[in-house]
Amino acid sequence: MIIIQARMTSTRLPAKIMLPLCEKPVLQVMIERLSKWHDQIIVATTNDGTEKPIIDLCKKLDIRVFRGDTDDVLGRYYKAATFYGATKNTTIVRLTSDCPLIDQDLCTLVINKHEEQRFNMVNLGPHSGFPRGLDCCAFSFKLLEETHKKATSLADREHVTLGMAKFNTLLLYTFSAQEDLSHYRLTLDEHDDYSAITAIYNAFDNSLHFSYQELLIMLKKKPELYDINKHVEQKTV
């Protein structure tokens, strides 16, 4: 069960997930990059009255959608998973909608590793050398439910995984990149991020079908793509 959190009210770049990319909304590009997992995707959006474009897009793409509290993202994940029938051992995959270069094969590695049921949580992200914007995290519905019941602070409710280690003893597995590529910024937070991501897709002739390895080759071949947004600072938790 892949749950993508999505909202229209981003403070730095409002409505960023509906910006045009390859003649499609950013969110649609991300969903199509996950075509292998189409039937497992749920978009967990807000119920603040701004979410209609997201709802309409999900209906068009035949993607399941759930409306929940804007600020209580942990609760939104829990209620979305519950609504769509998650059970104790269901693997929940957390993705954010600002990652239009997400790689479905990397996500598959994370999902398969978690479904071995040897680890409470499986991670892949810039903290382990991967470019920022390919982040993927898998955990069980049981862990999500336990954290949902225990988390009370605003910070713990606003961030899905923040309280998981705080309230539980976790056996964690983190995928490590072969080299540190965390300086590549492939996430969408500011306008220069949008310019960089657009330029990357232009370099692939606006095709959505390229692998992580092909992406790395392109970034190393054309360092000017990375230069576009290398100055953007990541917002900290």
Side-chain angles (χ1 to χ4, degrees), residues 48-114:
D48 56 16
T50 66
E51 70 278 0
K52 188 177 185 300
I54 297 172
I55 300 293
D56 290 346
L57 179 64
C58 289
K59 288 180 178 178
K60 173 186 172 183
L61 301 177
D62 193 27
I63 292 290
R64 295 178 294 177
V65 66
F66 180 86
R67 293 180 178 92
D69 189 277
T70 302
D71 299 318
D72 182 9
V73 187
L74 175 61
R76 201 192 318 164
Y77 263 75
Y78 171 73
K79 292 175 183 177
T82 301
F83 184 81
Y84 285 107
T87 61
K88 182 176 69 172
N89 292 323
T90 297
T91 293
I92 306 295
V93 179
R94 175 182 177 264
L95 299 179
T96 58
S97 56
D98 50 8
C99 298
L101 287 160
I102 196 75
D103 185 87
Q104 67 177 354
D105 291 332
L106 292 180
C107 291
T108 299
L109 286 177
V110 173
I111 292 167
N112 289 345
K113 192 69 177 179
H114 184 263

